[in-house]
Amino acid sequence: MRHYGPTKRILVTGGAGFIGAHLCEKLLEQGHEVLCVDNFYTGCRANVAHLVLNPLFEILRHDICFPLYVEVDEIYNLACPASPIHYQFDPVQTTKTSVHGAINMLGLAKRLKVKILQASTSEVYGDPAIHPQVESYWGNVNPIGSRSCYDEGKRCAETLFFDYHRQHNLKIKVARIFNTYGPRMHPSDGRVISNFIIQALRNKDITIYGDGLQTRSFCYVDDLIESLLKLMESPDDFTGPVNLGSPDEITILELAQKIIDMAGSKSQICHKPLPQDDPHQRQPDISLVKEKLGWQPKTDLEEGLRKTIEYFEAII
Ligand SMILES: NC(=O)c1ccc[n+]([C@@H]2O[C@H](COP(=O)([O-])OP(=O)(O)OC[C@H]3O[C@@H](n4cnc5c(N)ncnc54)[C@H](O)[C@@H]3O)[C@@H](O)[C@H]2O)c1
């Protein structure tokens, strides 16, 4: 381990993606060196273009399905397409990234004896039979559906993290991230907030799948980054899994209406059939993260939406 002072050299896989780019930015602000590893499958250089002149920042084009030999003090493993459109485009690659990628990054962490954090997901709960979801709930996941490459890939990655922890005493952190939104979301990833904002800004019909009464909760990206940093810094005996997200529920219909109003749009709402395995309700119980890390989201939905709408206005 090469750790000479309060600052570290930190590897962020998937660092050119939506969440990864915000994380790289924050770690650099804290004075750390950041090695951003990305194969640009869904991420892009534009997300980190503002960081490249920083001498503490380095980008490496690399697919984590292959072993990586670098020297770092800490690892955030975020690489994985996160939106259904992207992860279903090449489902075998999605599972490989989750599983082979986890094995490679865990192998690296083991060799270097460094701490590693896994970006897991609320999708490990599948279509949950309990509400809100607590970490002790084992989930309700279809193993053979079109979302399974992601859900089961992430579940297997969690298993690998805990086996490396038990078998090799590796220091691990497992974050179960719920819906997150904000600037740098991919404009065509089909996620609900980016979709609605783009449709609203273009005054196009806003598509709602099903009756729109299904609920979601959304966490602004700055809040999520704060929780990931706190989790990484937490005592070694706190491994997670821990839910990170916002517990404030909103129906998809209410969300669409809010975005139409805030964007000053003329869009109308139209309904289409629900896709397979779309969960009806998704809301984290965040008691554990509140108790262990003293964290809860601070940004209210309107403020977060305003910043996100401004971002999409600028790029489309
Ligand atoms: N955004 C959310 O709401 C959300 C929710 C739950 C979990 N997560 C998890 O957080 C992480 C980041 O999500 P995001 O929203 O920033 O997604 P994203 O698609 O914007 O970012 C993922 C990044 O990983 C890179 N990548 C994909 N496969 C790779 C591979 N094999 N090797 C190297 N790089 C690879 C992509 O190019 C991209 O830059 C993901 O692991 C995702 O599963 C995100």
Side-chain angles (χ1 to χ4, degrees), residues 13-20 37-44 47 62-65 77-83 86 93 97 119-122 150 154 176-181 184 186 191:
T13 76
F18 158 51
I19 296 175
V37 164
D38 205 297
N39 68 351
F40 301 109
Y41 185 60
T42 51
C44 62
N47 281 342
H62 174 81
D63 183 331
I64 63 157
C65 297
N77 187 37
L78 271 62
C80 187
S83 78
H86 289 148
Q93 175 65 19
T97 295
S120 190
T121 169
S122 55
Y150 185 70
K154 289 284 189 179
R176 289 189 179 151
I177 302 171
F178 283 65
N179 272 332
T180 302
Y181 73 101
R184 304 200 185 106
H186 199 292
R191 284 192 248 188

Side-chain angles (χ1 to χ4, degrees), residues 93-109:
Q93 175 65 19
T94 300
T95 304
K96 279 187 183 166
T97 295
S98 289
V99 178
H100 290 192
I103 291 171
N104 288 324
M105 292 308 108
L106 285 161
L108 178 65

Side-chain angles (χ1 to χ4, degrees), residues 220-240:
Y220 188 63
V221 65
D222 287 356
D223 291 335
L224 179 83
I225 298 299
E226 191 197 354
S227 70
L228 291 175
L229 297 172
K230 280 184 173 239
L231 177 58
M232 188 61 117
E233 289 311 312
S234 63
D236 290 345
D237 62 357
F238 183 57
T239 56

